[in-house]
Amino acid sequence: MGDGVFEGLLQGVWALMLAGPVLVAGVAATVFVVRRRALSGGASGSERSDQLFWDLFLGSAVAVPALLIPTLISPWTGLFLGGAGVAAGIAAYRGTPKYLARRAARSDHRALESAHLAAQARHDELIARWRRYELDPACSIDYPALTDVRLPETSALIKAMRAADQLRSDPHQEYPDAVTRLAASLAAAERAAGVPAEQA
């Protein structure tokens, strides 16, 4: 009789080790997918119910055998696995919004960094374009208005350059807009100074 109990415990442990990860992963993945779809919305009522059916069907196709087979071998194993499955479902339900928020934040940060790098390259081009009028003697003589801050267009250009420089160091949502304003200010100052369009 002692051998039978020991053998039953051993089979239960093996069933727990084999079926436990499958059950926990299946329940957690199913709850995650259902919760993510519910939070994202977007689909119509009939599409949503169809997606819900297939998500639950596929999740059940994995989770139910992973629970039933060990339960047939050892009832206490099935009870333990049932508790583990419920815990995994609750954890996935609660954790899904936090995970999606973190993923969205990472995506937004990558987009912000990409926009920042593009704005930095555009900023460098604009500063190089303006420095021609300051450092090139021929351009300085031909278009002195571009270095005369008493003119409103040149004054606005200098202010736009300062604003863009202040936002340049760290990724910031306002930096690309500041560079766009700098480009517009430089174009306006060039027009006011009489710079031909093909030379600007």
Side-chain angles (χ1 to χ4, degrees), residues 25-36:
V27 170
T30 302
V31 172
F32 172 77
V33 169
V34 170
R35 182 90 159 118
R36 185 186 63 187

Side-chain angles (χ1 to χ4, degrees), residues 30-31 34 50-62 64:
T30 302
V31 172
V34 170
D50 192 41
Q51 288 172 345
L52 178 63
F53 169 79
W54 285 109
D55 291 338
L56 293 176
F57 176 78
L58 292 173
S60 299
V62 173
V64 170

Side-chain angles (χ1 to χ4, degrees), residues 34-192:
V34 170
R35 182 90 159 118
R36 185 186 63 187
R37 288 192 199 279
L39 290 172
S40 66
S44 65
S46 62
E47 288 178 0
R48 193 175 302 138
S49 62
D50 192 41
Q51 288 172 345
L52 178 63
F53 169 79
W54 285 109
D55 291 338
L56 293 176
F57 176 78
L58 292 173
S60 299
V62 173
V64 170
L67 178 61
L68 286 181
I69 294 170
T71 303
L72 294 173
I73 295 171
S74 172
W76 68 266
T77 304
L79 185 64
F80 184 83
L81 284 174
V86 169
I90 292 171
Y93 184 85
R94 289 184 176 172
T96 299
K98 294 175 187 175
Y99 170 78
L100 293 175
R102 280 195 306 269
R103 191 170 71 174
R106 282 196 301 268
S107 177
D108 291 345
H109 184 69
R110 283 195 297 270
L112 181 61
E113 282 184 338
S114 176
H116 188 80
L117 291 173
Q120 281 182 327
R122 179 73 174 134
H123 191 180
D124 291 340
E125 291 173 7
L126 294 169
I127 295 302
R129 188 167 118 199
W130 177 76
R131 282 187 178 152
R132 277 185 327 187
Y133 304 110
E134 188 180 39
L135 302 176
D136 185 346
C139 287
S140 186
I141 291 169
D142 291 342
Y143 309 107
L146 281 162
T147 55
D148 187 354
V149 293
R150 294 172 297 179
L151 298 174
E153 292 85 2
T154 305
S155 176
L157 170 62
I158 299 302
K159 288 176 184 174
M161 279 198 286
R162 280 190 199 139
D165 285 339
Q166 288 172 349
L167 296 169
R168 181 185 175 103
S169 58
D170 296 318
H172 197 285
Q173 288 181 343
E174 295 179 14
Y175 178 60
D177 293 336
V179 172
T180 300
R181 287 192 294 272
L182 172 58
S185 298
L186 179 56
E190 286 174 333
R191 280 195 304 272

